[in-house]
Amino acid sequence: MGTRPLLERHRAVMPSWMNLYYEDPIELVRGEGRHVFDGEGRRYLDFFGGLLATMVGHDIPEITEAIREQAGRILHTSTLYLVRRQVELAERIAAASGIPDAKVFFVNSGTEAVETALLLATQYRRSNQVLALRGSYHGRSFGTVAATGIRGWSATSLSPLNVTYVHSGYRLRSPFRGLDDAAYVAACKEELRTIIETATAGDVACLIAEPVQGAGGFATPPPSFFAEMKSVLDEYGILFVSDEVQTGFGRTGAAYFGIQAFGVRPDAMAFAKGVANGVAMGGVVARGDLMDCLGANSISTAGGNPLACAAAVATLDVIRDRDLQANADRVGARLRDGLRRIAADHACVAEVRGMGLMIGVEIVTPGTTRPDTALVARILEECRSRGLLIGRGGLLGNVLRVTPPMTVTEEEADEALRILTDVMEEIAAMAAV
């Protein structure tokens, strides 16, 4: 029977726009470390990590025990009462952010976190004008969709915001792609200034940006990109909001929060996904005066609830105690080097990019930059048949996303590279027949 009956039930009651991976979708029922098991008992090396939410792996004893202990006491209160774990978690995130006088507000998801950051910025600046990067993804709600710069994720043209898109760090399809780093950044910086002067009314609330673009295929800008862009924002008093939903808490290897690797201190950061290792949790950390700018009452019924906060504190403990930021840096470099060796032998790979354990492999028709989405789908299927789960994304849906949990070992990275090598060689051999 397989998963066919469950798939039919899914299609009957779930929205048609909820996509499933694979021609024969799988149900994941159990996880151990960096491995997951489907409903038929097949074991897979998980290199997509619950869409980056399973930050440190599956069934981590410290996190499981923290959840179990908290569940045995109380599952939920609300922000109308003191929540000890919430205060402890906020103190840690505020300290790690580097933002002066930082305050934290907890919500339930990345979408809600970004929505909150946009609410704060637009209220503080008394403007609904927002700048966002081309190729960005910020969520599925009304406001966050408006700030998303990928057509495939923009469900509506209606918007509560006046959004203008500026150049990002994605160079492969940029008109500036032939420039060196310094010239590329200078061109983006000048375009930003021109857009502020010509395409806005001037009183822009903020620029929101992902340090490494997630759904955009892990586009990674040159090192000076954000510092130069922020220098323009500062000229106009425009706030900078860093969307750390995928880059936060050490996954990039280079810094605890992704934007810190670029030497920039934002006014606010949105975070979610991996902070509680997959338990629903998100939030915003911002300058105290920015966080306190709201004049109306507000609460978050489930945001920062005791169970989620217990999971988050335990997750941050694991990241710290096992030095997982350094592991992300080390194993991420090993994976990128291995993927670039594969790319050297296969003309369908246009680019390997990313930071830490956020790696994108862009697949194209050889000799062109035309996206080959059919080949991407085939690679995912062939990897799955060999026991490896990876993701896909990119502006045009032609980027492989390789994002294992931060506890991944060098041996597991090598296993994934062997599988990808075999898949690419088999596909190339069949194409040559």
Side-chain angles (χ1 to χ4, degrees):
M1 290 180 61
T3 59
R4 184 59 52 180
L6 182 60
L7 176 60
E8 292 172 354
R9 290 165 59 192
H10 177 281
R11 287 173 173 165
V13 296
M14 299 293 188
S16 60
W17 39 260
M18 277 184 63
N19 292 326
L20 294 167
Y21 274 0
Y22 310 118
E23 292 180 5
D24 184 16
I26 58 178
E27 176 194 13
L28 301 181
V29 298
R30 184 166 63 88
E32 293 177 357
R34 276 72 56 197
H35 291 85
V36 290
F37 299 80
D38 69 16
E40 297 180 354
R42 290 186 291 257
R43 181 175 181 258
Y44 304 93
L45 186 58
D46 183 7
F47 267 46
F48 200 34
L51 220 170
L52 287 81
T54 312
M55 179 79 86
V56 299
H58 302 274
D59 193 22
I60 303 301
E62 299 95 319
I63 301 172
T64 302
E65 182 54 36
I67 293 172
R68 182 181 295 113
E69 180 184 354
Q70 184 61 54
R73 288 189 284 171
I74 189 168
L75 289 175
H76 176 71
T77 59
S78 80
T79 54
L80 294 171
Y81 305 98
L82 288 169
V83 181
R84 184 173 298 276
R85 282 295 196 190
Q86 184 183 89
V87 175
E88 293 172 357
L89 180 60
E91 289 172 339
R92 290 178 63 169
I93 292 172
S97 73
I99 296 174
D101 303 316
K103 292 189 176 183
V104 182
F105 182 72
F106 292 108
V107 293
N108 305 287
S109 69
T111 290
E112 194 180 345
V114 173
E115 192 83 33
T116 302
L118 292 172
L119 170 67
L120 293 171
T122 53
Q123 171 63 16
Y124 187 89
R125 290 277 292 163
R126 305 299 295 172
S127 168
N128 75 335
Q129 294 190 101
V130 169
L131 301 171
L133 299 187
R134 295 164 198 160
S136 60
Y137 175 82
H138 296 295
R140 57 170 173 74
S141 65
F142 196 36
T144 58
V145 162
T148 288
I150 306 175
R151 181 185 296 174
W153 289 101
S154 297
T156 175
S157 63
L158 303 176
S159 172
L161 303 170
N162 184 345
V163 180
T164 306
Y165 295 98
V166 300
H167 223 79
S168 73
Y170 179 46
R171 300 173 69 164
L172 183 65
R173 301 175 191 281
S174 168
F176 306 147
R177 70 175 286 188
L179 303 177
D180 63 23
D181 280 1
Y184 180 90
V185 170
C188 293
K189 179 180 178 181
E190 187 57 34
E191 188 207 44
L192 172 60
R193 182 179 284 108
T194 299
I195 283 178
I196 293 171
E197 290 288 348
T198 63
T200 77
D203 56 338
V204 177
C206 68
L207 167 68
I208 183 167
E210 303 158 276
V212 177
Q213 292 186 327
F218 298 144
T220 308
S224 65
F225 179 83
F226 284 112
E228 292 299 315
M229 297 290 270
K230 189 174 185 302
S231 70
V232 176
L233 301 180
D234 291 345
E235 292 176 22
Y236 295 89
I238 299 170
L239 300 175
F240 178 52
V241 176
S242 184
D243 181 343
E244 299 279 348
V245 170
Q246 295 191 37
T247 53
F249 306 101
R251 175 172 280 281
T252 65
Y256 198 71
F257 288 102
I259 199 62
Q260 293 170 337
F262 295 89
V264 171
R265 178 184 291 166
D267 299 287
M269 293 189 285
F271 58 86
K273 283 194 183 289
V275 64
N277 204 43
V279 175
M281 160 70 79
V284 177
V285 54
R287 287 176 6 211
D289 62 326
L290 176 56
M291 185 67 78
D292 289 338
C293 75
L294 301 183
N297 294 325
S298 190
I299 61 170
S300 182
T301 300
N305 67 78
L307 190 70
C309 285
V313 169
T315 300
L316 299 189
D317 284 346
V318 169
I319 293 171
R320 178 197 63 202
D321 295 345
R322 301 191 190 182
D323 197 14
L324 295 186
Q325 181 179 321
N327 191 64
D329 190 36
R330 181 176 60 256
V331 181
R334 189 182 189 94
L335 279 167
R336 287 194 304 280
D337 289 345
L339 289 166
R340 286 175 178 140
R341 287 193 295 272
I342 294 172
D345 294 329
H346 298 279
C348 64
V349 180
E351 190 172 62
V352 175
R353 56 181 179 257
M355 295 175 67
L357 296 174
M358 296 181 69
I359 305 170
V361 182
E362 182 143 357
I363 304 297
V364 297
T365 301
T368 76
T369 57
R370 291 197 304 272
D372 194 336
T373 56
L375 181 54
V376 168
R378 186 176 174 192
I379 292 170
L380 259 66
E381 292 283 359
E382 294 295 335
C383 284
R384 174 233 174 145
S385 71
R386 290 165 170 78
L388 174 66
L389 303 184
I390 57 176
R392 68 181 299 176
L395 295 183
L396 304 169
N398 65 314
V399 178
L400 305 174
R401 293 208 280 173
V402 181
T403 60
M406 291 173 66
T407 49
V408 65
T409 67
E410 293 182 350
E411 292 75 19
E412 289 163 343
D414 291 344
E415 180 184 353
L417 289 170
R418 284 193 297 272
I419 292 172
L420 281 161
T421 298
D422 291 346
V423 167
M424 297 298 287
E425 289 180 352
E426 179 176 312
I427 290 173
M430 293 184 67
V433 172

